[in-house]
Amino acid sequence: MPSLFDPIQLGAIDAPNRILMAPLTRGRAAPGFVPTEMKAEYYGQRAGAGLIIAEATGISVQGLGWPAAPGVWSEEQTEGWKLATKAVHDNGGRIILQLWHMGRIVHSDFLDGEKPISASATTAPGEAYTPTGKKPYVEARALAVEEVPGLLDDYRKATANAMAAGFDGVQIHAANGYLIDQFLRDGTNLRDDEYGGSPDNRTRLLHEVAQAVAEEAGADWTAVRLSPNGDSQGTNDSDPGSVFPLAAQKLADVGIAFLELREPGPEGTFGNTDVPKLSPEIRKVFKAPLVLNSDYTKESGQAALDSGIADAISYGRPFISNPDLVRRFREDIPLNGVAEGKGPWDFSPTWYSNGPEGYVDYPVAEENVAAE
């Protein structure tokens, strides 16, 4: 079986190792959702990953509802992202961009008072982050069938902009309770048209988005993220085993480069509990590289490779405080934060702040040794 440090071919991307950086929302975009030089520094520091999957990035005004998150629908945003791709490439790395439509998780404050869209007229639980503080989510409206072509065009334009910005590919965010996930699951998809009801219908939008993006970028430069087990931000399904292997089969038919699965355990960010993981069933139908994510250590990640289910592991929170995570794993160097009892997986108020603290100021191993 391969090790975490062996190279892997991810579609058209030659990844030098199987330790991928998972997409992590961190904020820090300038007004207008424009990526900055600080964001470029952040990604450039982490270029040792086999592949960086850059943070969730809004495909349109309608699809983005997170303060200081980046977008990729405008020329200014595209130019801003060029700083990040250059920093990564100058450091020998590879980076793709995650394309994001948040659906009902977008608060109407971001939309001049208009309702957000979703599969059906439902309301997410909890509160949204808005420019003026936390507020309860508002009820979404159901996306009309005649609006689907426009949504697909938004994905195509965002894909074209991402490739123009120098990314090595794109990933469709179809996980974590956002728009595509809202269509996949029967807890939020209450439709009775061709996009609702049966698993085949509920996976239709994902399939169409994947086809549109693959036509724009090329299938070998297109990836997808799913979160097949448990509740994500109030988005759930009564029988996920009937939905997600079918979704994976449709993505295999498109010929995407790889599929990433976020399958958290009991302590997962979105409160997932004891729901069985579907990756073994998905592995049976998806033969291209399968990347597993959430709460993996070096040891458990290698065990997942040894099992034959995973081809690579994406690490999120450990990469926040360890820009040189690959080297630390390879040389068994302790991770930042562990000695203090914090752990690289613990929430920090600096994760979503606006400055460099907790973003670009984590030391690499050589600095740790010098300090000691």
Side-chain angles (χ1 to χ4, degrees):
M1 291 296 175
S3 81
L4 288 168
F5 309 105
D6 287 333
I8 184 172
Q9 192 72 30
L10 299 170
I13 299 171
D14 299 312
N17 61 69
R18 297 168 188 242
I19 302 169
L20 278 54
M21 180 176 170
L24 293 157
T25 297
R26 303 299 308 280
R28 269 86 172 184
F33 308 104
V34 176
T36 64
E37 291 185 5
M38 184 166 58
K39 191 172 293 293
E41 180 182 1
Y42 168 76
Y43 283 116
Q45 290 173 343
R46 289 155 177 81
L51 172 67
I52 294 172
I53 308 172
E55 66 205 271
T57 299
I59 65 167
S60 63
V61 173
Q62 182 194 63
L64 185 56
W66 187 280
V72 71
W73 65 81
S74 75
E75 182 178 352
E76 188 178 10
Q77 293 161 356
T78 303
E79 290 298 313
W81 274 120
K82 288 181 180 180
L83 302 174
T85 59
K86 183 179 187 302
V88 171
H89 292 152
D90 285 350
N91 286 319
R94 298 135 182 88
I95 183 170
I96 66 175
L97 185 66
Q98 189 183 64
L99 305 177
W100 197 23
H101 194 302
M102 298 172 65
R104 70 177 190 169
I105 305 300
V106 179
H107 194 275
S108 58
D109 280 6
F110 290 91
L111 305 174
D112 293 328
E114 296 291 323
K115 285 188 173 185
I117 64 167
S118 186
S120 301
T122 60
T123 306
E127 294 180 313
Y129 291 94
T130 79
T132 56
K134 288 186 176 182
K135 296 181 181 179
Y137 287 106
V138 300
E139 183 182 65
R141 65 173 181 86
L143 179 72
V145 172
E146 56 267 25
E147 293 179 283
V148 172
L151 176 67
L152 299 179
D153 285 344
D154 286 341
Y155 274 101
R156 290 189 185 96
K157 180 181 178 182
T159 301
N161 287 346
M163 301 306 285
F167 283 97
D168 299 302
V170 294
Q171 184 190 64
I172 299 163
H173 196 345
N176 298 6
Y178 297 114
L179 179 66
I180 297 176
D181 206 19
Q182 292 159 25
F183 271 82
L184 290 173
R185 300 174 188 254
D186 61 14
T188 45
N189 187 335
L190 313 178
R191 305 171 73 102
D192 57 7
D193 59 14
E194 61 263 47
Y195 291 95
S198 69
D200 185 55
N201 282 352
R202 283 184 278 129
T203 54
R204 188 183 306 276
L205 182 65
L206 168 64
H207 189 211
E208 291 178 349
V209 170
Q211 287 179 314
V213 170
E215 288 169 2
E216 189 67 46
D220 276 349
W221 290 266
T222 301
V224 173
R225 172 180 252 219
L226 297 173
S227 53
N229 69 319
D231 178 288
S232 291
Q233 303 192 88
T235 302
N236 209 344
D237 193 83
S238 62
D239 183 16
S242 70
V243 179
F244 288 96
L246 175 61
Q249 179 62 67
K250 290 187 176 185
L251 295 172
D253 293 343
V254 174
I256 65 169
F258 69 91
L259 175 60
E260 182 194 19
L261 303 180
R262 184 182 187 276
E263 292 187 301
E267 301 303 321
T269 302
F270 293 102
N272 183 41
T273 53
D274 300 322
V275 182
K277 294 185 176 182
L278 288 172
S279 46
E281 297 304 311
I282 290 172
R283 173 82 286 178
K284 294 176 183 178
V285 299
F286 190 84
K287 303 304 181 183
L290 189 63
V291 179
L292 299 186
N293 167 257
S294 197
D295 305 316
Y296 282 95
T297 62
K298 172 186 172 182
E299 292 74 21
S300 62
Q302 182 61 54
L305 297 189
D306 294 342
S307 74
I309 295 176
D311 297 295
I313 305 295
S314 64
Y315 293 86
R317 286 166 283 181
F319 259 115
I320 291 177
S321 52
N322 297 276
D324 55 343
L325 184 67
V326 174
R327 178 175 176 238
R328 288 174 185 271
F329 275 1
R330 189 189 301 273
E331 300 179 21
D332 291 320
I333 299 171
L335 301 186
N336 283 329
V338 172
E340 294 82 3
K342 302 175 185 176
W345 297 273
D346 290 345
F347 176 82
S348 167
T350 64
W351 282 7
Y352 306 121
S353 62
N354 293 320
E357 182 183 2
Y359 190 58
V360 294
D361 60 347
Y362 286 106
V364 296
E366 291 86 350
E367 294 171 352
N368 282 355
V369 171
E372 290 173 3

